[in-house]
Amino acid sequence: MVLKRRVNYGFTGFQVPVIPRAPRSARRRSPLKNSVEDGEACAFEILASLAGKLLQESESSACSNASEGNHHCSFSQGIIVQDRKNEVKPSITEGVHQGSCTESIFTTNVASKNNDQKPLLHAKTDCSLGHISVNNNSDNLEKAKANVKTETVESDNKYGSYTNRLVKAPENFRKSCNRKVKKGFRLEQEAGVSNYHRSTSADKCGLKDRLELYMSPALVDSKVNVKKYPLHRKPFPTDSFTKRGNGIKLDFRDDDENFIRYTKVCAKSKAFRSPRRIAHRRIKNLLSSKYWKVAPKLKDCELSRSDLEVPLYRKRKTSHGFDRSHHSNVVKRRRFFDRVSAVISDGGFSSESVSNSPEKGANGHKPSSSAKMHVTEDSHVKFSIKSFRIPELYIEVPETATVGSLKRTVMEAVMGIIGGGMHVGVLLQGEEIGDDNRTLEQTGLSCNENLDSLSFMLEPSSLLASPISCVGDPSSQCETSEPIRSPETPALDSGITDIIRDSYLLTNQGNLVENNHDSTSSPIDTIVDEITPDSRAIVALPASNEALAVVPVSQKIKRSEFVQRRTRRPFSVSEVEALVHAVEELGTGRWRDVKLRAFDNADHRTYVDLKDKWKTLVHTAKISPQQRRGEPVPQELLDRVLGAHAYWSQHQIKQHGKHQCGTGGALKMITEASVERMSSQV
DNA sequence: TTTAGGG
DNA sequence: CCCTAAA
């Protein structure tokens, strides 16, 4: 069974780029929308919230709420596959929007695949979570916006202009492997960490490839996107209209869709609801959950991804079936992450260096970025946290999973640790500040002498009783459960502390919830609840998981809930043209027919979308041109919109007792209506 | 599943 | 775009 095959990915770390003082999101949100509902989390926000919380706790005097505005930043995940031979190291974050994205990513080592077709990936690196600027007023935390975009390996090689790039393997690799790169991600577990990794197809190719994952800012502004992502935002070609019968069909080029089509299982003949749409609902649930209420200030975040679905789920029927299972977590979760799992352990933090740091220490431990602070004259303390490291995590996904789903999974795993299993520690001159009630002043965080001796760290907030993170195939022996960690410090600053952290284990939901038939988002849910036999095959847990059962509620993050909104895809003039044309003929109450007639090939346009677009078109047509935004729609089209709208709203009433809507459409009907009107006047 | 509307 | 009540 193909679905049984999996791809395992293990990451020791994940590095999130420094968040630039990004420009505000071009996407303005109405005040009304700026509510909790709209708050969608991103890794950054979680960190920000943590930092803010930290500050709140350690600060005695609160400051004003003066907010200088929300800087929206978005993140995307990217994957880089490269040929080790060539050692091509793309400057991953250079050229990123606004140019201030952090250094890079973490590099992993070697891809591999085991005998039973389970490609495994293990990224052994440091991770860091971007840059956070904090004032000693949590209200001033930067807010971020997550906009996760994905790209397929097949896309193109013009990645240079992408913010989030998926760098495909060099040509020689692909040729020698004679297979698609997307199937080429194989990482090999770093020696001594786990032995569930086996050799791979990559080995067969005689190549060792590197896979990198990174977090990169992504643009929110669709306009900028057009420029930044030319391959994804091609202007809709006018000549892509093809007459079919009386209607117009559009042949859309969409990377995501194309990717799906490659799989030959895309059922696009009908309008359907993409699984990713449902996902968003889950994120809302998450956001409204108790967990998120601890960070009410950070609600302006939004996730947005163009997902690459697992082909299976593209089946309309399947998709719909899942979609309707609103109350079935089981189904919902399986939708995306069936057979996907991730295991996270704190792994003692990678001994590898943060890639942005120039040198490594003697033990290969590179000095990581540090947090800095600056005390201003008005008794405010500004913190600049350059990066955070994230503990090691393992991920397993089916071989058939898309790159997009991999990215999602990684993101979820990252979010899981950051959001649920971690808390922030503060170290001053190597000493962890344990007393949360002390003020910054009392702690010495307001003295400029300590400017450079401050650091933050992420650490598991649950000190589980020596959980075993035995990752690997069932036959492999478990790793030691020794809580003792490598000498490397999990702190931001290098070599400052040697804190022994109890390991903890989190599991990504994915397959873990496969058999979980009652996992409503109850706050009582525990990680243990999500452990299923299936997951045990991958993760061996201690006989007694009681420790897990007492994990605080705040940690019970359902990473599976972490899905984002569909990417915004403004209608092009050509699309509007097609829509107007179809509506003129079919009327405003037959969106499915409109979809079929004019957008049958545009899988990303559902009939609901078309209906919505029509709604906005009507509105647009009624307002003054000065008030319109976005790509201007020719007045001619807007006139037709008004005409059709006027006609059909009138005709629908008439149609009741009268003849069925025959052929003709609005234009003809309008004429007939005029005639009728005239005759009635006579 | 579609439609119709509110958010 | 999302969410959903209704049909």
Side-chain angles (χ1 to χ4, degrees):
Chain A
M1 186 71 169
V2 177
L3 285 178
K4 289 295 181 184
R5 286 158 55 178
R6 302 182 178 194
V7 180
N8 291 293
Y9 302 89
F11 304 94
T12 351
F14 206 109
Q15 182 174 12
V16 178
V18 161
I19 286 214
R21 298 291 289 187
R24 294 164 196 197
S25 167
R27 178 180 178 183
R28 300 197 166 75
R29 315 186 71 92
S30 78
L32 290 178
K33 294 281 286 183
N34 211 6
S35 60
V36 172
E37 179 199 76
D38 247 279
E40 294 180 10
C42 64
F44 221 69
E45 285 193 326
I46 293 181
L47 277 175
S49 70
L50 289 171
K53 193 178 176 185
L54 166 73
L55 286 167
Q56 283 183 317
E57 290 173 354
S58 57
E59 177 182 72
S60 57
S61 60
C63 303
S64 71
N65 269 359
S67 173
E68 55 184 79
N70 303 332
H71 292 257
H72 292 196
C73 238
S74 54
F75 277 85
S76 62
Q77 292 172 263
I79 295 179
I80 292 180
V81 178
Q82 50 187 200
D83 189 331
R84 180 189 256 178
K85 282 184 178 177
N86 294 340
E87 285 294 316
V88 177
K89 179 124 189 176
S91 55
I92 300 156
T93 55
E94 287 180 6
V96 162
H97 182 46
Q98 300 300 321
S100 52
C101 190
T102 296
E103 303 79 292
S104 70
I105 309 336
F106 72 82
T107 315
T108 100
N109 199 354
V110 186
S112 68
K113 184 177 176 181
N114 58 12
N115 294 333
D116 66 330
Q117 299 297 303
K118 288 185 180 178
L120 304 175
L121 177 155
H122 177 227
K124 183 79 173 174
T125 76
D126 272 316
C127 318
S128 52
L129 281 176
H131 175 119
I132 299 180
S133 292
V134 184
N135 201 338
N136 59 350
N137 178 343
S138 62
D139 287 337
N140 283 341
L141 290 176
E142 280 201 351
K143 296 177 182 179
K145 189 170 270 194
N147 180 9
V148 181
K149 295 178 179 300
T150 62
E151 282 154 27
T152 68
V153 181
E154 290 84 0
S155 288
D156 198 313
N157 54 12
K158 301 175 185 176
Y159 296 97
S161 60
Y162 284 70
T163 298
N164 48 324
R165 281 156 291 194
L166 172 52
V167 180
K168 65 181 175 184
E171 202 58 25
N172 58 346
F173 161 66
R174 302 208 297 166
K175 284 179 180 173
S176 59
C177 284
N178 192 30
R179 63 188 302 172
K180 288 180 179 176
V181 177
K182 68 177 166 131
K183 290 191 141 194
F185 300 134
R186 314 287 188 247
L187 283 198
E188 190 173 77
Q189 173 73 49
E190 200 110 321
V193 177
S194 165
N195 59 4
Y196 75 120
H197 304 268
R198 293 296 187 303
S199 69
T200 91
S201 59
D203 289 339
K204 295 175 186 173
C205 303
L207 292 172
K208 295 279 188 174
D209 295 83
R210 291 193 339 203
L211 181 150
E212 298 182 8
L213 297 179
Y214 60 95
M215 309 281 282
S216 63
L219 300 176
V220 175
D221 185 337
S222 61
K223 278 193 171 182
V224 182
N225 272 342
V226 174
K227 296 170 186 171
K228 286 284 183 177
Y229 309 98
L231 297 176
H232 283 258
R233 296 292 184 273
K234 292 176 188 168
F236 188 74
T238 305
D239 59 5
S240 62
F241 284 88
T242 54
K243 278 283 184 183
R244 298 193 190 177
N246 290 330
I248 295 176
K249 293 219 177 192
L250 301 181
D251 185 18
F252 287 86
R253 299 297 169 75
D254 179 89
D255 284 323
D256 291 5
E257 308 299 340
N258 283 343
F259 178 77
I260 297 305
R261 286 180 186 129
Y262 283 156
T263 67
K264 300 178 180 179
V265 283
C266 175
K268 59 182 176 60
S269 61
K270 290 186 175 182
F272 67 91
R273 194 163 190 173
S274 165
R276 62 185 161 212
R277 305 187 63 176
I278 303 104
H280 186 233
R281 183 162 44 235
R282 298 190 302 201
I283 201 172
K284 283 199 172 180
N285 291 337
L286 174 64
L287 290 168
S288 60
S289 71
K290 191 174 182 179
Y291 166 75
W292 279 105
K293 297 195 173 141
V294 305
K297 303 272 171 71
L298 303 171
K299 51 193 172 186
D300 203 17
C301 208
E302 172 178 331
L303 285 175
S304 178
R305 283 183 277 207
S306 64
D307 300 300
L308 299 182
E309 316 295 358
V310 174
L312 173 67
Y313 297 131
R314 299 293 296 209
K315 296 279 191 180
R316 185 188 188 193
K317 196 124 188 175
T318 306
S319 168
H320 274 287
F322 286 162
D323 192 11
R324 286 304 167 185
S325 304
H326 290 189
H327 306 296
S328 171
N329 267 302
V330 181
V331 178
K332 278 164 64 180
R333 293 176 172 190
R334 290 177 67 168
R335 204 181 44 245
F336 262 120
F337 299 101
D338 186 21
R339 320 217 68 75
V340 174
S341 67
V343 177
I344 303 160
S345 71
D346 83 357
F349 292 86
S350 168
S351 62
E352 292 203 8
S353 39
V354 174
S355 54
N356 61 10
S357 296
E359 297 98 13
K360 292 186 176 182
N363 54 353
H365 183 72
K366 181 162 40 173
S368 65
S369 26
S370 59
K372 293 186 178 180
M373 75 179 184
H374 172 65
V375 182
T376 63
E377 293 186 354
D378 56 345
S379 300
H380 285 219
V381 186
K382 293 182 176 177
F383 294 93
S384 172
I385 302 174
K386 199 164 185 180
S387 65
F388 274 107
R389 289 185 193 174
I390 298 177
E392 179 176 14
L393 54 139
Y394 297 91
I395 291 175
E396 175 179 306
V397 297
E399 191 176 28
T400 51
T402 62
V403 173
S405 68
L406 167 61
K407 292 173 181 176
R408 268 196 307 276
T409 305
V410 173
M411 175 57 99
E412 291 190 345
V414 171
M415 295 304 297
I417 23 179
I418 299 173
M422 310 294 283
H423 71 261
V424 173
V426 181
L427 299 97
L428 185 58
Q429 295 178 332
E431 298 287 322
E432 182 171 12
I433 302 172
D435 187 351
D436 289 343
N437 295 320
R438 275 191 289 173
T439 65
L440 296 183
E441 192 174 8
Q442 292 169 336
T443 308
L445 286 179
S446 59
C447 320
N448 283 312
E449 314 166 6
N450 294 324
L451 285 185
D452 295 318
S453 55
L454 169 74
S455 64
F456 291 84
M457 64 183 180
L458 292 177
E459 53 190 353
S461 48
S462 67
L463 302 182
L464 304 179
S466 65
I468 301 173
S469 72
C470 171
V471 182
D473 58 55
S475 61
S476 69
Q477 65 260 54
C478 290
E479 217 180 341
T480 174
S481 59
E482 266 289 335
I484 307 238
R485 291 297 157 193
S486 57
E488 283 76 40
T489 170
L492 284 172
D493 260 356
S494 62
I496 292 182
T497 54
D498 188 358
I499 301 171
I500 295 172
R501 299 288 156 202
D502 286 339
S503 62
Y504 72 105
L505 185 149
L506 291 177
T507 52
N508 189 350
Q509 52 90 36
N511 59 331
L512 303 184
V513 296
E514 194 163 56
N515 298 324
N516 186 353
H517 295 288
D518 181 41
S519 89
T520 56
S521 297
S522 158
I524 306 175
D525 273 357
T526 64
I527 294 172
V528 171
D529 287 336
E530 301 195 12
I531 302 296
T532 67
D534 190 12
S535 67
R536 289 191 197 102
I538 304 160
V539 181
L541 295 174
S544 169
N545 285 325
E546 291 178 350
L548 287 171
V550 299
V551 170
V553 171
S554 63
Q555 294 184 28
K556 293 150 201 164
I557 307 302
K558 300 200 183 291
R559 281 163 291 293
S560 62
E561 303 288 339
F562 229 83
V563 186
Q564 78 296 320
R565 203 182 176 101
R566 283 195 299 163
T567 58
R568 188 167 174 273
R569 285 164 151 146
F571 277 69
S572 66
V573 173
S574 300
E575 287 176 288
V576 172
E577 156 82 43
L579 175 60
V580 171
H581 182 85
V583 173
E584 283 175 342
E585 294 191 337
L586 300 172
T588 54
R590 302 167 60 190
W591 299 110
R592 182 170 173 273
D593 292 334
V594 170
K595 157 73 182 174
L596 259 34
R597 174 175 298 211
F599 291 81
D600 197 16
N601 287 326
D603 287 351
H604 57 293
R605 303 294 190 199
T606 67
Y607 45 74
V608 175
D609 294 332
L610 302 179
K611 184 260 306 175
D612 287 343
K613 179 58 183 175
W614 182 261
K615 182 172 63 178
T616 62
L617 275 176
V618 170
H619 177 257
T620 301
K622 289 177 178 175
I623 62 179
S624 69
Q626 290 74 33
Q627 302 178 63
R628 297 169 190 165
R629 289 182 296 179
E631 187 180 7
V633 178
Q635 187 59 43
E636 176 262 334
L637 277 178
L638 293 177
D639 291 340
R640 288 168 64 188
V641 168
L642 285 183
H645 177 259
Y647 169 74
W648 285 110
S649 42
Q650 198 176 309
H651 183 260
Q652 275 194 332
I653 303 172
K654 282 175 135 189
Q655 194 176 319
H656 270 296
K658 281 201 171 184
H659 56 288
Q660 289 296 322
C661 172
T663 59
L667 291 179
K668 179 179 174 183
M669 297 305 227
I670 286 171
T671 306
E672 293 175 357
S674 319
V675 174
E676 282 185 31
R677 220 177 296 128
M678 293 175 69
S679 51
S680 65
Q681 288 175 350
V682 174

